[in-house]
C-alpha cells in the first residue's frame, strides 16, 4: 500500500486529475481577513512559492452526475490569470495536488487542494462542444433521470 504525506504537494497531469475535463465557473482573488488588524482583508500569498493566490472554480465533468460537481483550483501567479474567451473549457498548467485532513461534526475527512501555475484553453474536439446538462446549469439538485422517468406535475 502506497503512503503519502499530508502537507506535501505532488505533481499531477491535468488529464489524471480531471479525465473528462473541466469548465470554468468563476475566478476571484483568494482573500485573507486579518482579525488583529481590524478586519482588514488582503490577497492570500502562497507560503511555498510567495505568489498571489487566485481561486478558480470549475465544474469537473467527471462528476456531473453527483451532488458535488465543482472543484476549486488555486492559481499561483503575480498577476491575475488570463482566461480564454467564450465558454471556458480549460486545462491547468503545472498542476499539483496536496492531501489535507480535518475533523468536523461528521467526523474526520480527507480532501485535496489543487494548485496550478497557469490556465489555458482546453483542446476542443467535436464531442466537447456539447453544453452542460440543463439540470446542472439551473441548479436542479435531482440530477439526471433515466429516459421515460419524468415526474408528472399536478
Amino acid at each position: 500500500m502506497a503512503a503519502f504525506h499530508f502537507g506535501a504537494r505532488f505533481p499531477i497531469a491535468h488529464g489524471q486529475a480531471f479525465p473528462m475535463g473541466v469548465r470554468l465557473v468563476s475566478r476571484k482573488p483568494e482573500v485573507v481577513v486579518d482579525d488583529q488588524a481590524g478586519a482588514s482583508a488582503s490577497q492570500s500569498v502562497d507560503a511555498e512559492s510567495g505568489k498571489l493566490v487566485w481561486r478558480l472554480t470549475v465544474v469537473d465533468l467527471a462528476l456531473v452526475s453527483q451532488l458535488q460537481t465543482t472543484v476549486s483550483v488555486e492559481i499561483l501567479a503575480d498577476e491575475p490569470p488570463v482566461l480564454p474567451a467564450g465558454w471556458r473549457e480549460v486545462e491547468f498548467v503545472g498542476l499539483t495536488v496536496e492531501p489535507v485532513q480535518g475533523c468536523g461534526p461528521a467526523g474526520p475527512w480527507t480532501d485535496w487542494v489543487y494548485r496550478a501555475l497557469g490556465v489555458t484553453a482546453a483542446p476542443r474536439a467535436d464531442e466537447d462542444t456539447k453544453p452542460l446538462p440543463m439540470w446542472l446549469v439551473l441548479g436542479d439538485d435531482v440530477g439526471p433521470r433515466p429516459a421515460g422517468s419524468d415526474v408528472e406535475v399536478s
Side-chain angles (χ1 to χ4, degrees), residues 8-19 22 30 46 53-58 60 62-63 68-76 92-100 110-118:
R9 298 178 186 183
F10 301 97
I12 187 168
H14 177 88
Q16 285 181 297
F18 307 108
V22 296
E30 182 67 15
D46 180 59
V53 178
W54 304 86
R55 182 169 302 276
L56 272 60
T57 303
V58 296
D60 184 346
L63 302 177
Q68 176 67 32
T69 60
T70 59
V71 176
S72 290
V73 178
E74 296 177 354
I75 303 295
L76 309 178
F92 295 106
V93 178
L95 189 63
T96 63
V97 62
E98 175 186 349
V100 292
T110 301
D111 204 356
W112 307 95
V113 176
Y114 292 99
R115 293 182 183 89
L117 299 177

Side-chain angles (χ1 to χ4, degrees), residues 99-110:
V100 292
Q101 280 186 315
C103 192
W109 52 265
T110 301

Side-chain angles (χ1 to χ4, degrees), residues 29-142:
E30 182 67 15
V31 177
V32 175
V33 177
D34 185 4
D35 292 330
Q36 294 177 355
S40 64
S42 61
Q43 188 164 358
S44 197
V45 175
D46 180 59
E48 199 170 291
S49 69
K51 304 247 184 217
L52 294 174
V53 178
W54 304 86
R55 182 169 302 276
L56 272 60
T57 303
V58 296
V59 173
D60 184 346
L61 298 177
L63 302 177
V64 293
S65 64
Q66 299 179 18
L67 291 177
Q68 176 67 32
T69 60
T70 59
V71 176
S72 290
V73 178
E74 296 177 354
I75 303 295
L76 309 178
D78 292 325
E79 300 293 326
V82 177
L83 303 174
W87 187 244
R88 298 175 189 98
E89 295 177 16
V90 298
E91 280 191 7
F92 295 106
V93 178
L95 189 63
T96 63
V97 62
E98 175 186 349
V100 292
Q101 280 186 315
C103 192
W109 52 265
T110 301
D111 204 356
W112 307 95
V113 176
Y114 292 99
R115 293 182 183 89
L117 299 177
V119 60
T120 64
R124 295 181 73 119
D126 291 339
E127 62 272 7
D128 290 340
T129 60
K130 295 177 185 168
L132 289 173
M134 284 308 291
W135 64 266
L136 180 61
V137 173
L138 298 176
D140 182 356
D141 61 354
V142 175

